[in-house]
Amino acid sequence: MNMKKRNDKVRQQVILALFTAIVLLLAFTPIGLIDLPIIKATILHVPVIIGSVILGPKKGAFLGFVFGLSSIIKNSIAPSLLSFAFTPFVPLPGLQKGSFLSILICFLPRILVGVTPYYTVKGIELLVEKVFRKRNQGIRSAATTVAAVVGAFTNTVLVMGMIYLFFKDAYAAANNIPVETVLTVVLGVVGTNGVPEAIAAAVITTPVCLALDKVLGVKTGGKSAVTK
């Protein structure tokens, strides 16, 4: 391994460690998880999305795993009305035990948050390059913005969709609503939580990713763009 590759690898490991620390900081301070009556709104997806775009899907998936793990811990030690869907250590409404399906909800969407943004950026860049024969910072910026929105909705849609799939009755009981209205409420949460979270992700992710591209020496002109 030559010196440049070694330095690049060290920089990537440092950035991975930094974003892991940021995820944990956001998870265990009021900054990252906003307690609402029904669910905890979050910006923990933002460092995961940035890590996915900058470091690639494997390291992004690792950050997503940390996100999921912190969610289990947070919901176990400071449960809210819907914590039974995020940790097996909180009983379902009307029962004396939790469900291990909550582990799936905690980890699968969050790991995918670390994967989908990377492939969104690469897909857009390759498509534009194939059609227009160019790749530049403006395209990279637009692709990153789209990827941030995709990553945010990956989290919100999959989490709420799996809650509906696995815990529809428990969700209705916890919120004292008829089971028939759960889908409408879930879609409402996707809108009220998902849209602001996607906007926040887009606003933060794009400038941070462009700055880190410079640190890592990612070229965005012509066919010299670096693939991670």
Side-chain angles (χ1 to χ4, degrees):
M1 183 183 295
N2 61 39
M3 184 62 68
K4 184 179 184 305
K5 287 184 178 179
R6 183 176 300 137
N7 289 341
D8 287 345
K9 186 173 182 180
V10 169
R11 278 196 293 266
Q12 288 195 15
Q13 292 299 329
V14 169
I15 292 172
L16 178 63
L18 174 63
F19 279 107
T20 300
I22 290 172
V23 170
L24 294 173
L25 175 67
L26 293 177
F28 296 106
T29 66
I31 301 171
L33 288 172
I34 305 167
D35 290 324
L36 299 176
I38 296 178
I39 194 171
K40 290 181 171 73
T42 182
I43 56 170
L44 268 75
H45 57 294
V46 174
V48 179
I49 292 168
I50 295 172
S52 176
V53 173
I54 294 298
L55 302 175
K58 291 182 180 179
K59 291 182 176 68
F62 170 77
L63 290 171
F65 175 84
V66 175
F67 178 6
L69 182 62
S70 68
S71 182
I72 286 182
I73 295 171
K74 179 74 173 182
N75 280 280
S76 297
I77 63 177
S80 67
L81 188 63
L82 201 59
S83 287
F84 64 84
F86 298 99
T87 171
F89 304 112
V90 172
L92 276 71
L95 298 178
Q96 308 235 328
K97 62 180 182 178
S99 170
F100 281 95
L101 288 172
S102 60
I103 296 176
L104 190 61
I105 294 176
C106 255
F107 284 108
L108 181 60
R110 279 64 186 272
I111 288 172
L112 289 176
V113 170
V115 175
T116 56
Y118 173 84
Y119 287 109
T120 299
V121 169
K122 290 305 171 187
I124 292 173
E125 286 183 333
L126 290 173
L127 178 62
V128 171
E129 185 176 23
K130 184 175 181 179
V131 174
F132 299 104
R133 305 294 182 186
K134 66 178 180 179
R135 185 184 295 190
N136 56 43
Q137 191 176 61
I139 295 167
R140 174 80 171 178
S141 177
T144 301
T145 300
V146 174
V149 173
V150 169
F153 275 109
T154 296
N155 180 51
T156 306
V157 171
L158 286 181
V159 166
M160 295 309 301
M162 293 172 75
I163 288 174
Y164 178 77
L165 181 64
F166 297 143
F167 297 120
K168 179 171 62 175
D169 292 338
Y171 188 95
N175 292 285
N176 195 26
I177 58 175
V179 175
E180 313 85 67
T181 65
V182 170
L183 180 58
T184 301
V185 174
V186 165
L187 292 175
V189 172
V190 170
T192 56
N193 280 29
V195 172
E197 288 176 0
I199 292 171
V203 169
I204 299 170
T205 298
T206 303
V208 172
C209 284
L210 293 179
L212 288 175
D213 278 345
K214 293 180 180 179
V215 172
L216 292 173
V218 176
K219 298 178 181 179
T220 54
K223 294 186 177 182
S224 60
V226 175
T227 56
K228 304 174 186 66

